[in-house]
Amino acid sequence: MVGEKKKKEPAAQIPVEEDLDLFGDHKPKRRVPRFVYRIAVILLVCVVGLTLWVNRENISLEGFWNWAQTQIMGTGDGGGFPAPVTGRNVEKKNLLASGNQPAVVSDTELIVWNSTAKELTASQHSCRYPVLCEAGGRYLVYDLGGTSYRIVTTQKTLKKGQTDEKIYAAAVSESGRWAVATGSQDYASELTVYLEDGSKQYRYRFVDARVTAVALSEDGSRGAVTAVTASQGAILSRLYLFDFSESDPVSVFESRDNCLYGVSFGAGRVCAVGDRSALTLAFGAQKPSEYVYNGTLQDASLHGDRMVLAVASYSGGSEIVEFDGGDSPVTRFSLGETVLSVDSSGTTLAVLTEGTIRTYLSGTGDKTAERPAGSDARAIALGNASTAYVLGNGEVRRVDL
């Protein structure tokens, strides 16, 4: 009819993706209730909060900033290995590769690279006999027999220290606390432990023993010290365990006719290495377990509660012995060659002989790889289970295992 409005046809509905059933199954799609998401978020917040609370003493704005800078600066390509080392001499013990970042101290400079040989830091020093140690991305360089030391990261220098007496040993912890053992005017030696801000936390004086090595727990609240003295015309070594909240050592153990010169502390356990035997024990144990070498110690690798020994056997060849968190060896096997250097990372044990790196499986001693290292190779350090760094004449090389 004229004037009558025409009714609008209803618009056709276009199915959306969630309404389509491409496989012929017309059952309605189930939705996850919102309260499930809320519970998941609450649980995630609780887990993160608990983690931050448990690690509150080790968390700081400075630590986070250093970590962030490391991630930014540590990524990026360098010129590739080999990387030249300035200076005329690098001691075997002064090659490290923590976090797959190789570091060396020569007689003039500390250098740290990333895994592609990008130089992360180059810090000159004035140490006559420099010694390098590292924990938590902090590199401590001290002058053995001198009076200076410094702690640096790949971003900046954290501390430049000067002691009144000669330095015998030093160590740094993952928390940033550090310890320095020196001579003393009235005692044989003394140990001083510092908080991260540089204030003194603890001091202990050794009446008749000279400190040879120091190690700190991850948080720096406890420590282990080896020291030597003389008794009835023979060398007597002592292993001291400290809780720095107490004035006196928690325990003192003796090892006769054995010069203890290296110590490590991790996961509540201590490893100490000497020229005739090695000690392992849990902190607070009644006595250590002693492993007497059947030969001459060629090299030792100490990482927390893990210790790898290379011993030249009296009957010929060499023996590799690994301790990992216990009093008894977990790995033990023999080689027909002289060992120059050993290291460990994850399930990998690395052994350097004349010009060759071989890797073995922790626990079984099965050989997993063999690579040329160069005729001038003197020391190795594992960046991870599949990457080794080799100290040669005037350079550091990378070997993929």
Side-chain angles (χ1 to χ4, degrees):
M1 295 179 60
V2 178
E4 184 177 356
K5 292 184 180 179
K6 187 176 181 180
K7 293 182 179 180
K8 293 183 179 180
E9 295 292 333
Q13 292 186 352
I14 300 175
V16 296
E17 184 178 357
E18 67 179 8
D19 295 326
L20 294 177
D21 185 3
L22 302 180
F23 299 98
D25 187 354
H26 298 284
K27 293 180 180 180
K29 186 175 181 180
R30 295 183 178 179
R31 297 177 181 273
V32 178
R34 289 186 177 181
F35 77 87
V36 175
Y37 291 108
R38 292 173 181 169
I39 293 175
V41 171
I42 292 172
L43 290 175
L44 179 60
V45 171
C46 290
V47 170
V48 173
L50 180 61
T51 301
L52 293 174
W53 173 257
V54 170
N55 295 279
R56 63 191 183 279
E57 294 184 356
N58 298 328
I59 297 175
S60 64
L61 181 61
E62 181 184 10
F64 173 78
W65 178 242
N66 288 340
W67 173 85
Q69 285 185 308
T70 298
Q71 301 309 305
I72 296 172
M73 294 181 62
T75 57
D77 294 332
F81 290 94
V85 177
T86 58
R88 294 173 295 176
N89 183 45
V90 179
E91 296 291 334
K92 288 174 53 176
K93 61 186 176 182
N94 284 337
L95 171 68
L96 305 175
S98 176
N100 207 22
Q101 292 183 346
V104 296
V105 165
S106 70
D107 52 359
T108 61
E109 192 172 30
L110 163 68
I111 310 173
V112 183
W113 301 274
N114 71 2
S115 59
T116 65
K118 178 181 178 181
E119 192 174 278
L120 303 181
T121 189
S123 176
Q124 292 187 341
H125 63 80
S126 58
C127 302
R128 186 175 181 183
Y129 297 107
V131 179
L132 173 64
C133 52
E134 182 274 343
R138 296 172 173 85
Y139 298 87
L140 169 62
V141 180
Y142 66 91
D143 190 4
L144 181 61
T147 59
S148 65
Y149 67 93
R150 65 175 57 195
I151 304 172
V152 306
T153 67
T154 54
Q155 293 83 39
K156 62 180 180 179
T157 298
L158 300 178
K159 174 68 177 180
K160 288 184 179 180
Q162 197 76 24
T163 60
D164 296 329
E165 302 291 336
K166 293 181 179 179
I167 299 174
Y168 296 152
V172 63
S173 71
E174 294 182 7
S175 69
R177 300 177 183 182
W178 73 93
V180 181
T182 66
S184 176
Q185 290 184 351
D186 301 318
Y187 300 87
S189 55
E190 64 181 50
L191 173 72
T192 307
V193 183
Y194 299 87
L195 297 174
E196 189 176 0
D197 62 5
S199 59
K200 292 181 181 180
Q201 177 191 12
Y202 182 84
R203 174 172 288 178
Y204 183 80
R205 293 178 172 89
F206 302 83
V207 176
D208 62 347
R210 173 170 169 170
V211 173
T212 57
V214 179
L216 298 176
S217 62
E218 293 91 337
D219 63 0
S221 65
R222 297 181 294 176
V225 172
T226 57
V228 296
T229 186
S231 175
Q232 299 177 351
I235 289 179
L236 177 68
S237 289
R238 296 195 186 113
L239 173 60
Y240 298 80
L241 302 184
F242 292 93
D243 181 332
F244 298 131
S245 64
E246 302 179 16
S247 58
D248 294 323
V250 173
S251 305
V252 181
F253 305 100
E254 293 186 346
S255 182
R256 187 169 293 275
D257 295 326
N258 184 36
C259 180
L260 293 173
Y261 62 86
V263 65
S264 62
F265 196 155
R269 291 190 63 88
V270 174
C271 298
V273 62
D275 60 347
R276 298 187 64 179
S277 68
L279 309 179
T280 61
L281 76 160
F283 192 91
Q286 295 298 315
K287 67 176 184 177
S289 174
E290 184 175 18
Y291 178 80
V292 180
Y293 314 141
N294 183 30
T296 304
L297 185 67
Q298 297 169 309
D299 193 37
S301 170
L302 298 174
H303 296 293
D305 63 341
R306 192 175 192 181
M307 175 172 59
V308 181
L309 309 171
V311 180
S313 176
Y314 291 132
S315 59
S318 302
E319 185 177 44
I320 305 299
V321 183
E322 178 196 10
F323 293 83
D324 191 4
D327 293 332
S328 301
V330 297
T331 313
R332 195 170 181 174
F333 59 92
S334 298
L335 299 175
E337 302 174 72
T338 299
V339 176
L340 302 178
S341 180
V342 293
D343 201 10
S344 64
S345 178
T347 60
T348 298
L349 306 181
V351 179
L352 174 66
T353 58
E354 192 69 36
T356 303
I357 297 176
R358 296 182 180 89
T359 59
Y360 301 86
L361 186 63
S362 173
T364 66
D366 294 337
K367 188 170 75 170
T368 56
E370 181 173 331
R371 300 287 186 272
S375 59
D376 62 339
R378 297 188 292 121
I380 55 173
L382 289 178
N384 53 42
S386 60
T387 307
Y389 296 94
V390 179
L391 178 62
N393 292 332
E395 65 180 19
V396 170
R397 301 188 287 272
R398 170 175 167 161
V399 176
D400 295 325
L401 305 172

